[in-house]
Amino acid sequence: MSKVPAGLWKKFIAVQVYGANTDVGKTVFSSLLGKRFKFGQVNSKKWQVQYIKPVSTGPQSDRDDAYVRRHSGCSAVHTLFQFQNPVSPHIAAREIAQHARDIPNDDYVNARLSQKLCENAFALQLESGDYGLGIVETAGGVLSPGPSGTPQADIYRSLRLPVVLVGDHKLGGIAATISAAESLKMRGYDIDAVVCFDDKGKYQNAEYLKTYLKDNMELPVYTIPWIPHLVGTSTQLEQELMMEYYNETSRHSEVEGVAQRIVDRHAARIENMDSMASRTQQKIWHPFTQHKHVEKAEDVLVFDSAHGDFFQVKRTARSDPKSTEDTSPILYPAFDGSASWWTQGLGHGNPRLAVEAAYAAGRYGHIMFAGATHEPALKLAEHVLRGLQNPRLTKVFYTDDGSTATEVGIKMGVRAACKHYDWDGSKEAIGVLGLKGSYHGDTIGAMDASEPCVFNEKVDWYRGRGYWFDYPTFKLKEDRWVVEPPEGMDKEFGPTRFFAEQDDIFDFKARGRSHHYEAYIEKTLNKLVKEQGRKFGVLVMEPVILGAGGMIFVDPLFQQSLARVVRRYNFATSEVAPAPIEGEYAWSGLPVMFDEVFTGLYRLGQFSSAFFLEVHPDISVHAKLLTGGLLPLSITAASDSIFQAFWGDEKSEALLHGHSYTAHPIGSHVANVSLKTMDGYYNGSKWQSFKSDWKVNKEASPPGMKETDGVHTPCKVIPSMRDSDTARIKFWSFWSKEFVFNLSRHERVDHVNALGSVLAVSLKDQSGAGYTSSAAVGLRDALLFEHSKIQIHSRILGNVIYLMASLTSTGSDLHTVEEAFLQRLDAMD
Amino acid sequence: MSKVPAGLWKKFIAVQVYGANTDVGKTVFSSLLGKRFKFGQVNSKKWQVQYIKPVSTGPQSDRDDAYVRRHSGCSAVHTLFQFQNPVSPHIAAREIAQHARDIPNDDYVNARLSQKLCENAFALQLESGDYGLGIVETAGGVLSPGPSGTPQADIYRSLRLPVVLVGDHKLGGIAATISAAESLKMRGYDIDAVVCFDDKGKYQNAEYLKTYLKDNMELPVYTIPWIPHLVGTSTQLEQELMMEYYNETSRHSEVEGVAQRIVDRHAARIENMDSMASRTQQKIWHPFTQHKHVEKAEDVLVFDSAHGDFFQVKRTARSDPKSTEDTSPILYPAFDGSASWWTQGLGHGNPRLAVEAAYAAGRYGHIMFAGATHEPALKLAEHVLRGLQNPRLTKVFYTDDGSTATEVGIKMGVRAACKHYDWDGSKEAIGVLGLKGSYHGDTIGAMDASEPCVFNEKVDWYRGRGYWFDYPTFKLKEDRWVVEPPEGMDKEFGPTRFFAEQDDIFDFKARGRSHHYEAYIEKTLNKLVKEQGRKFGVLVMEPVILGAGGMIFVDPLFQQSLARVVRRYNFATSEVAPAPIEGEYAWSGLPVMFDEVFTGLYRLGQFSSAFFLEVHPDISVHAKLLTGGLLPLSITAASDSIFQAFWGDEKSEALLHGHSYTAHPIGSHVANVSLKTMDGYYNGSKWQSFKSDWKVNKEASPPGMKETDGVHTPCKVIPSMRDSDTARIKFWSFWSKEFVFNLSRHERVDHVNALGSVLAVSLKDQSGAGYTSSAAVGLRDALLFEHSKIQIHSRILGNVIYLMASLTSTGSDLHTVEEAFLQRLDAMD
């Protein structure tokens, strides 16, 4: 979906005429505008004018395009989809369709319009040096359904043509016009102008709208002279009257005003787009960017907008050697292959989320959360606690992003441990336990919880506080799933093991408890605690995948073992309790915290990535997908044993943490809608085909089993899965199994992983891996800049290139992405 | 504005009937609904039904209320404002008004409706044990103008009555109905149901809407049988036909469905509201809260919504001993006296901001910002840099909140200093210089930049890194402006000084450079650096007011002196350069960072609070008001000298900081709209009367003067100000001068400060001040819970109680707040 370039050209202006209602004069205005441009020398230039009616209903004799041709004098008029019955297109289309598939779908309608506009822009350049105007007249009102039933403004959204909205001059038309403008705005449209036919004082809508829309939406309103009253006149007289009307009115100052406004806004948009990269280089300090490496302003990608899985990116000489030609669209669609830094869930420009965001803004704005409550935040806490299916977790603390949520989690965990062991954290160095290559955010506290690495090497206040374990990893290598120890650590972790399926790596019943792993962990802890006298407060892990560390897939059995040992190990006496000693949900060693910022909330295909490990953490951190990919909000969920550590008579004993926008209603409400939608995808048929592709006919552990000792007891073996069990498939990916296995065999590829929406491809690299490696740079650039069936924006981490689907990505789009990826990989030097 | 309780009662349901357009059957539906409830035993209860038409136009003979009385059988029908001319109310009202003041304003119309509903609810209880329904029928479409010209949905918004939207059955009505529903949603309305008259297959709008609204907005649509075709029938026949229609149709299952839905939703809302406090206590871990002190669930304030400056808060036994009675509204309005933790700028539920938030959501969603750019973020960077009028600042770095922005600022400043002095921050302890009582946020890095205090006392990872200076403060005490040294520090800072006006405290020309202050600062630095060998990286200050530290107003001359000395002091050699040595915008000592998270962006009446100090910082941090009070977003602006410290060949030398939602388009776009709006207030007449109240007839230093030595040269003396200079008044407050001076003389008050929107009242306290003090608790609770002309939600910091206006607060509301405040203060034990 949305794989067409946005409708912007240098010398060709396509403008979309929407009506605030049906029968408000769209066609009359389109004719006036066409005539004005064709004969009026707008902006002292000569204009070629085209008129397109994408979807039309009604008999041949009464077609809008014929009317426009007659009255505007423009010969280039086109109707793309014509239905005979003069009713709404969704009814007309349904009536004549034998099958549902006969009804033109939204992508097809939009692509046809895009194609026609591109042809027009191209032809214009070939034929003359003139400028061009394309008038696209929609049918009915802004949200009137197209053939498929989708509101028109949604069908054509990815083109994002500038809009002229024809206001409703009738009684009630003020309300209709403002609401129509609001509906367009919330779909990301830019409205160039509102025009309203002047009813000569009857309802005075134009007069009201002029003031209201200027003051409240910064929109100019142009008043167009009234259309001659035609009822009862003969066709001949009607035509003459209208000819006269068009001759006069097309020269009217207000029509001239609209025409000039369209041209000015187009020029401003182009100029803005042309200057954005260099202005950005001047004013913006980019995240995670060595600005010395951004040599040319041109290296900054300029995004006009985004829709579904696709950005609209400005062409440059790099992306298109012919980018300076006036005939090509200025923008091109690029697949958002990093899911916008792992946030994207329900598609860019999702109109549902836009309305819901506005609802919370309109109901609350922001509300101070200390000592108070509101519905969105409460509902969200309940939803997340329910969704996590972790009986330990009872409370939700809100912050703004993954980093702040991690800081809160660490404050919680460390305090709980200090209370447990009666340590004074303000005097003693209390570290975290974690994994090498972990990443938890960029505030100092979150950084300190990660081992020294390139991210924090030059951060003056960074002081790594903790110990980070080595661990075996799993991956697909030449068609085989393997669990590999780090180089030279066979002794500690055992040799490389092979598994028939990814599922088997997570089959804890079959694999059993790893006494090997547990012994190694205990030995290491003894060294740290008994020998070195170090103190630790919390085990912090990203479950399954270490993201920013390089998309490292950790052997889940090791993470499970670590949680088990750390919960039982007495960090004061170095003894290991044989079993949990303080009740079902307590810990006697240290609390366990999962940083699910990246891996949680369906990023890996399950509500929680803790499901994969069958471990119930005491603290669980969530962000990114929480709002469906719209705006920052984060959650730190905690158990009662953690909460109790802050319970006391003194205010100073409380968790004195809070951000101004804590639990902001917009984020919370959008999160509620997003989670509900995602739950629906998970439980419904939306992901059925992806899941079927990865289905393995053996037992699978359903999530959320009863916990013993902080670790799930494996479920009973299910003899063989029925189709209805597909929803419960745990290990599946948006990326096709065939593609992933193909990659695993590719000569350029060392290994590959795919789980949920994440695909990580580790490229072979002679120069040594790591964040500073540039092995994948060439592939990344080729995917974005080389012409192809699809262009892909991706991010790399050292020699790892990864792709991430959104939760609404379609199989067909992903298939195209897969083809392009393999093609580029083959073409690598 | 909005000082009415939201329209929610226990046994009285008020429902608002809006139309998707005019002439869609609102009155017919209202009659049906009334009849159904009156005669139909909805929910097995007996109902009293009232009908209210707040605003009506048209001749007496044709009034809707008479029609409804006739057909529904309800005798309690009321029209509150009737205009004879059957045109839009804004035209009808204008026609008969002699003066603009004769036109009923929005607050009045809304208050009348509220009053009528409250009367009805009350009467109901007195007269019978029945349940009650109030049907409020609006005029025209959702956004049709009321008498003042304001769209109706905005006029009645603070009541937030549940809505039944009557859909448009006509051609084009699908679009009109969806848009109308969207316009209602983005104003924070809850739509109970959409009803649509069944046109028997002609346009099939109801059928379409049923599916669309369910799938996309979770709204149920009810199809109501068609109204008899009446054209050409006699009045007698018409009436008979309609009687028959009403008799039959009011018993129709779909009408029954709507009625049941209204009752069910009301019950669910009440139930939800009743359970929210205890559910919150179960699931929510509140920010900055010692939960042991929240004894009863009832202590959690339940907010239904907010509008303008007012929350809608659920009544409890504490706020209203009669709260259990069914006749009182369940909610009460409370002035948001902390401006929702200092964020609130353009009013809660601001429809403009809601639409603009939706626009950015619709155009972009979120877009990954690394290596990329988009219009909202670029424009915002340009706006902030322009607004700060600080020639040093050239680059903007985005993060999510004040704490993260501070962390970035510290990373920047410390690195720049380390590079300057060739220190290795990873090995050496590099601190900040700051002021005692400063606060910069709750992530560990931001905490470490503040001195040890109650906020961080029990944070195990907190390690205060720096030195925090004592300083003199200024305040109004018994009618006199004073600058006071801390107790016992007369020697260091000189004795208490008195000033005629607040302006004089900031009159740096008159006060001159303080060699006293500078000598003290140098001496302190010598002790720290030369004697103790300590190292510092950046001076971090909140300009003018230390907020969370207790609303402490610092002598601006001291802050200016500190900046001057620190910029010149050589932290390697302990020498003080006589003048800047490395170019106009460089620093030879340390960079200066201002944390304007609280004080900036018009909170104190100026775009930047640095204007007051006439110092140009090298790093400037902004958040809170940036988005007008809607959602989290923050900015760290930096100078080129800071930026250059991260320029290098290695990626690791870059500022490797970034959050997923960096520069999210929604926040950035809303910020652009907000700043533009605020600039307009500042430059326009919006704050004129507040400014005039504080006008002092002597010279004022206009902001943004050319800088010398990092400090402004004072401007020329302006002999006397003209009225047109009011816009340039620097020291003014939303709080009236009379009120502030009254407070300063109050026996309960030690001192007071007022600047911009901030009022801070330090209460006399025998038990000793400090964050843990509870001196102000009683006053805070009285303001919120005691019955009064206005109830006020406020926050306290130790013995300081503060009030904060939003930037849209009206003089009359604030006057009422001031009266109530004095009244409560007088009544204190």
Side-chain angles (χ1 to χ4, degrees), chain A residues 413-427:
Chain A
V414 172
R415 174 76 63 85
C418 284
K419 260 208 163 165
H420 182 78
Y421 290 109
D422 201 16
W423 294 334
D424 182 348
S426 71
K427 298 208 173 66

Side-chain angles (χ1 to χ4, degrees), chain B residues 220-236:
Chain B
V221 175
Y222 298 88
T223 311
I224 313 293
W226 194 242
I227 308 161
H229 188 62
L230 301 171
V231 179
T233 58
S234 74
T235 308
Q236 178 62 28

Side-chain angles (χ1 to χ4, degrees), chain B residues 25 40 58 175 209 214 436 439 479 508 521 609 669 727 734 794 803 805:
Chain B
L209 290 169
K214 179 166 167 283
K436 284 197 172 143
Y439 170 87
D479 276 352
F508 301 117
I521 295 163
S609 54
H669 179 68
F734 285 85
S794 63
L803 290 178

Side-chain angles (χ1 to χ4, degrees), chain A residues 15-289:
Chain A
V15 67
Q16 195 152 19
V17 178
Y18 275 106
N21 204 336
T22 196
D23 199 23
V24 292
K26 286 192 307 293
T27 311
V28 172
F29 172 74
S30 296
S31 304
L32 280 169
L33 190 69
K35 196 171 176 76
R36 175 81 193 113
F37 269 90
K38 188 156 178 70
F39 300 107
Q41 282 276 334
V42 179
N43 223 28
S44 317
K45 290 189 180 77
K46 237 181 130 243
W47 294 82
Q48 300 280 335
V49 179
Q50 284 110 2
Y51 168 89
I52 304 173
K53 182 98 182 176
V55 176
S56 173
T57 62
Q60 195 68 21
S61 59
D62 192 26
R63 278 169 58 160
D64 287 343
D65 58 0
Y67 181 95
V68 172
R69 180 192 287 125
R70 190 180 333 130
H71 289 297
S72 72
C74 308
S75 53
V77 301
H78 312 275
T79 296
L80 305 182
F81 298 89
Q82 175 75 39
F83 302 94
Q84 294 304 311
N85 193 355
V87 289
S88 171
H90 75 290
I91 298 176
R94 199 171 48 190
E95 279 171 358
I96 59 164
Q98 302 267 342
H99 303 283
R101 65 171 181 269
D102 296 338
I103 298 171
N105 72 32
D106 300 341
D107 279 356
Y108 183 59
V109 172
N110 192 43
R112 280 288 306 279
L113 174 57
S114 168
Q115 189 190 8
K116 180 51 90 182
L117 289 169
C118 287
E119 280 169 19
N120 285 348
F122 189 70
L124 181 81
Q125 189 66 8
L126 286 185
E127 284 170 17
S128 75
D130 293 352
Y131 286 71
L133 177 79
I135 300 168
V136 179
E137 187 191 332
T138 53
V142 161
L143 298 182
S144 288
S148 71
T150 305
Q152 287 175 102
D154 291 326
I155 297 176
Y156 307 124
R157 162 58 183 79
S158 62
L159 293 171
R160 223 176 69 82
L161 299 180
V163 170
V164 175
L165 176 65
V166 181
D168 186 344
H169 54 269
K170 294 167 284 187
L171 186 64
I174 289 174
T177 307
I178 302 171
S179 283
E182 290 181 349
S183 291
L184 283 167
K185 274 210 84 163
M186 64 167 54
R187 282 163 180 80
Y189 281 93
D190 288 326
I191 301 171
D192 273 1
V194 176
V195 299
C196 194
F197 286 92
D198 180 8
D199 69 352
K200 297 177 187 155
K202 196 170 173 200
Y203 300 121
Q204 306 169 37
N205 291 2
E207 180 219 10
Y208 177 93
L209 289 169
K210 242 187 172 89
T211 308
Y212 181 88
L213 291 177
K214 178 165 168 284
D215 291 350
N216 291 278
M217 298 177 84
E218 297 184 35
L219 293 177
V221 175
Y222 298 88
T223 311
I224 312 294
W226 194 243
I227 309 160
H229 188 64
L230 301 172
V231 179
T233 58
S234 74
T235 309
Q236 179 61 30
L237 179 55
E238 178 187 320
Q239 291 207 7
E240 275 170 28
L241 267 173
M242 285 309 290
M243 281 296 174
E244 199 183 309
Y245 173 78
Y246 281 111
N247 281 334
E248 270 178 29
T249 308
S250 67
R251 285 192 288 259
H252 189 278
S253 64
E254 292 281 284
V255 175
E256 191 186 324
V258 185
Q260 192 60 48
R261 167 94 179 160
I262 290 168
V263 170
D264 290 346
R265 291 266 292 179
H266 177 261
R269 188 172 170 201
I270 300 282
E271 200 187 307
N272 186 41
M273 204 143 277
D274 283 345
S275 65
M276 273 176 72
S278 64
R279 283 156 58 208
T280 297
Q281 224 185 8
Q282 262 178 37
K283 307 283 190 196
I284 297 284
W285 191 334
H286 271 116
F288 275 99
T289 301

Side-chain angles (χ1 to χ4, degrees), chain A residues 461, chain B residues 410 414 421 423 430-436 438 440 448-451 465-469 521-522 524-526 528-529 534-542 558 562-563 565-567 569 571 589-594:
Chain A
W461 277 20
Chain B
I410 290 168
V414 172
Y421 291 109
W423 294 333
I430 315 289
V432 301
L433 291 170
L435 299 181
K436 284 197 172 143
S438 59
H440 305 291
D448 282 358
S450 291
E451 62 164 349
R465 320 191 199 202
Y467 177 82
W468 296 274
F469 281 86
I521 295 163
E522 281 177 30
T524 308
L525 291 179
N526 283 338
L528 293 166
V529 176
R534 294 180 64 179
K535 290 192 164 63
F536 298 95
V538 58
L539 170 64
V540 184
M541 289 195 291
E542 297 156 86
F558 184 81
L562 198 51
V565 175
V566 164
R567 272 204 174 127
Y569 188 91
F571 283 78
L590 291 185
V592 174
M593 166 173 160
F594 278 0

Side-chain angles (χ1 to χ4, degrees), chain B residues 325-594:
Chain B
E325 287 181 18
D326 301 338
T327 52
S328 301
I330 285 170
L331 300 161
Y332 67 98
F335 181 82
D336 177 6
S338 77
S340 277
W341 260 0
W342 322 352
T343 61
Q344 196 38 242
L346 302 179
H348 292 280
N350 181 318
R352 173 85 201 273
L353 291 194
V355 175
E356 298 294 349
Y359 166 74
R363 179 169 169 186
Y364 305 97
H366 174 58
I367 277 188
M368 191 270 332
F369 198 60
T373 194
H374 54 74
E375 199 178 349
L378 175 57
K379 271 181 76 173
L380 180 58
E382 291 173 336
H383 193 138
V384 170
L385 290 174
R386 193 168 62 241
L388 291 174
Q389 301 182 49
N390 175 344
R392 288 176 178 248
L393 302 175
T394 56
K395 290 277 192 298
V396 162
F397 193 96
Y398 283 102
T399 53
D400 298 334
D401 55 39
S403 195
T404 55
T406 296
E407 295 243 350
V408 165
I410 290 168
K411 284 182 180 181
M412 288 175 172
V414 172
R415 175 76 63 85
C418 284
K419 259 206 162 165
H420 182 75
Y421 291 109
D422 202 17
W423 294 333
D424 182 347
S426 72
K427 298 207 174 65
E428 302 190 84
I430 315 289
V432 301
L433 291 170
L435 299 181
K436 284 197 172 143
S438 59
Y439 170 87
H440 305 291
D442 301 326
T443 51
I444 296 294
M447 282 195 143
D448 282 358
S450 291
E451 62 164 349
C453 68
V454 65
F455 291 125
N456 51 45
E457 187 186 331
K458 298 271 172 84
V459 177
D460 304 285
W461 277 20
Y462 168 76
R463 297 288 184 271
R465 320 191 199 202
Y467 177 82
W468 296 274
F469 281 86
D470 286 295
Y471 47 85
T473 55
F474 78 93
K475 56 202 70 164
L476 186 69
K477 241 177 154 160
E478 292 177 348
D479 276 352
R480 294 197 302 184
W481 292 100
V482 299
V483 169
E484 276 183 346
E487 221 181 299
M489 294 191 78
D490 286 31
K491 209 171 120 249
E492 288 80 358
F493 299 110
T496 298
R497 273 149 292 169
F498 298 91
F499 294 83
E501 296 285 348
Q502 181 164 227
D503 304 41
D504 297 332
I505 296 169
F506 290 84
D507 185 344
F508 301 117
K509 182 172 158 46
R511 294 184 67 186
R513 261 176 71 175
S514 170
H515 297 289
H516 211 90
Y517 287 170
E518 293 186 20
Y520 169 74
I521 295 163
E522 281 177 30
K523 207 180 105 195
T524 308
L525 291 179
N526 283 338
K527 202 166 71 187
L528 293 166
V529 176
K530 217 193 276 181
E531 293 175 27
Q532 300 171 11
R534 294 180 64 179
K535 290 192 164 63
F536 298 95
V538 58
L539 170 64
V540 184
M541 289 195 291
E542 297 156 86
V544 189
I545 311 178
L546 274 57
M551 294 292 167
I552 308 164
F553 285 63
V554 185
D555 180 6
L557 186 58
F558 184 81
Q559 291 197 316
Q560 201 191 63
S561 302
L562 198 51
R564 181 186 288 115
V565 175
V566 164
R567 272 204 174 127
R568 290 195 198 161
Y569 188 91
N570 186 318
F571 283 78
T573 65
S574 288
E575 283 158 9
V576 185
I581 50 174
E582 290 172 58
E584 194 176 7
Y585 300 139
W587 41 272
S588 60
L590 291 185
V592 174
M593 166 173 160
F594 278 0

